[in-house]
Amino acid sequence: MATTSYIDKSRRKLWLAAIKPPMYSVAIIPITMGTAVAFAETNRFHQEIFFAFLGAAILIIAWLNLSNDVFDSETGIDKNKAESVVNLTGNKTLVFWISNLLLGLGILGIISIAWLQQDWMVLGIVLLCCALGYSYQGPPFRLGYQGLGEIICFVTFGPLTIAAAYYSQAKTFSLMGLAASAIIGLSTSIILFCSHFHQVEDDLAAGKRSPIVRMGTARGSQVLAWLTASLFVFTVLFVLLRVFPVSTLLIFGSLPLANRLVRHVQQHHDNPEIVRTCKFLAVNLHFVSGILLALGFVLPRLL
C-alpha cells in the first residue's frame, strides 16, 4: 500500500511538472502589462476584453507547451524527460490533437474580441505570434534547435503580445508600451535561457544548439547576470528619459528574486540536478517584476 501511494504521488508530481502551472504567467504578464500601459495613457479599461484576451492567451500557451512536447518527442530530445506529456500518456497523436483543439479555442477567443471591436488588427498580431511559436520547435523550422529560441521568445512575448493587448484596449500603439515590452520580453527570454542549463547533454545528443550549449554553462551564468540586471537598468533609463513614470521603480521590489536567481545559477551552473530549479526562480522573477512594473503604470491613475 505504501509503495502504491508513493508511486501515485510521484506520478501526480510528474503531471504537475508536465502541465507547468507557473509557466502560464508567460500569458498573464504581457496581457496585464499591455492593458496597464493602455490604462495609464488613456484612463480606459475594458474588462471584458481583458479577460477574454487573458483566457485566449492561456489556451494558446497550453497549445504551445503540448505541441512542443510532441515535436520534441520526434527528435528524441525528451527521451529522458519523465515529465513530458507524451511520455506520461504514451500517446503522441492524442496530445497533438488536444493541443490543436486548445489553439483553436484560443484563436476563437481572439476572433470574439476582433468581432466585438470590428477591428482585426489584434487577430493578425496574435496569428503572427502563433506562427513564431510554431517555428520554435515545429518542423521543418525548429529554430529553437539553432539557438534562436530566446529571440523568438523576446519578440513574441514582448513587443508583439504587449502591442496586441494595448491595441485591444486603446485601438492604437504606444512608445511607452514598446519600452515596457522590451523589459517583459527580456524577463520572458530569461526563463527560456535558464531552462537550458540542466539539459546540455540531451541537447547535444539531439543536435540542439541552445545558447548554453554554444557558450557553456559558466559563461552562460555570466550572461544571465547581465540579462537580469538589464531589467532594472532599462527601467531606470526609461524613467530618466520620462518614458516611464517614477512609480515604475516599484520593479526594484523584485531585486531579491533577481539576486537569488543569479547566485543560484552562478553557484550550480555545472550541476544539472541542482541548477534545473533555476527556471522556476526565473518564472518567479518574471511574474513579480511584471506585476510590480504594471502597478507602477496604474498607480498614478488611481492615486
Side-chain angles (χ1 to χ4, degrees):
M1 287 290 289
T3 302
T4 303
S5 176
Y6 176 77
I7 292 172
D8 288 342
K9 287 181 180 178
S10 297
R11 191 166 181 82
R12 282 197 295 271
K13 286 182 179 179
L14 287 175
W15 271 107
L16 194 62
I19 295 169
K20 305 182 182 79
M23 291 301 296
Y24 289 91
S25 68
V26 170
I28 295 167
I29 292 302
I31 308 305
T32 302
M33 184 61 65
T35 303
V37 177
F39 177 73
E41 293 195 309
T42 68
N43 202 28
R44 293 198 301 266
F45 172 54
H46 303 287
Q47 67 176 28
E48 70 283 357
I49 291 174
F50 171 73
F51 286 112
F53 208 147
L54 199 60
I58 289 171
L59 288 167
I60 291 170
I61 291 296
W63 158 72
L64 197 60
N65 287 336
L66 290 177
S67 62
N68 282 348
D69 266 9
V70 171
F71 299 139
D72 279 344
S73 72
E74 294 173 349
T75 66
I77 199 170
D78 277 355
K79 64 181 180 180
N80 297 319
K81 187 178 179 181
E83 68 270 23
S84 161
V85 177
V86 172
N87 290 342
L88 283 168
T89 62
N91 193 331
K92 181 175 71 175
T93 302
L94 175 64
V95 175
F96 176 72
W97 286 110
I98 289 175
S99 73
N100 287 336
L101 174 63
L102 293 171
L103 173 62
L105 292 172
I107 296 299
L108 278 176
I110 301 299
I111 289 174
S112 71
I113 294 172
W115 181 264
L116 180 66
Q117 297 186 324
Q118 290 298 292
D119 188 327
W120 302 94
M121 177 64 74
V122 172
L123 177 62
I125 297 173
V126 170
L127 289 176
L128 177 57
C129 288
C130 291
L132 286 171
Y134 177 85
S135 73
Y136 171 65
Q137 296 287 58
F141 309 103
R142 300 193 190 279
L143 298 181
Y145 283 70
Q146 309 307 316
L148 299 176
E150 280 71 14
I151 297 173
I152 293 171
C153 189
F154 175 86
V155 173
T156 302
F157 295 104
L160 287 181
T161 302
I162 289 178
Y166 186 99
Y167 192 92
S168 72
Q169 294 285 328
K171 291 288 194 75
T172 186
F173 298 107
S174 155
L175 175 62
M176 185 186 288
L178 181 62
S181 74
I183 294 171
I184 300 305
L186 278 169
S187 67
T188 312
S189 297
I190 285 171
I191 298 173
L192 181 59
F193 189 79
C194 286
S195 72
H196 301 307
F197 278 97
H198 73 283
Q199 54 187 32
V200 172
E201 289 187 12
D202 287 344
D203 285 351
L204 278 170
K208 184 174 182 178
R209 304 288 294 171
S210 73
I212 302 304
V213 167
R214 290 176 182 273
M215 69 179 69
T217 59
R219 191 173 177 189
S221 68
Q222 296 170 354
V223 171
L224 174 64
W226 284 103
L227 289 174
T228 304
S230 72
L231 302 178
F232 305 96
V233 172
F234 278 125
T235 302
V236 171
L237 177 62
F238 291 141
V239 168
L240 292 175
L241 293 174
R242 298 186 178 180
V243 177
F244 286 0
V246 175
S247 51
T248 55
L249 294 176
L250 277 172
I251 194 175
F252 277 83
S254 65
L255 194 57
L257 296 176
N259 183 58
R260 183 182 175 192
L261 169 63
V262 170
R263 285 183 176 276
H264 179 77
V265 174
Q266 287 181 339
Q267 291 172 6
H268 306 293
H269 64 84
D270 56 351
N271 188 329
E273 288 305 312
I274 298 178
V275 79
R276 67 187 301 130
T277 60
C278 73
K279 62 184 177 182
F280 301 112
L281 299 179
V283 169
N284 290 341
L285 173 62
H286 170 262
F287 182 78
V288 174
S289 64
I291 291 296
L292 290 174
L293 188 62
L295 280 173
F297 287 111
V298 170
L299 284 177
R301 282 288 184 181
L302 298 178
L303 298 178

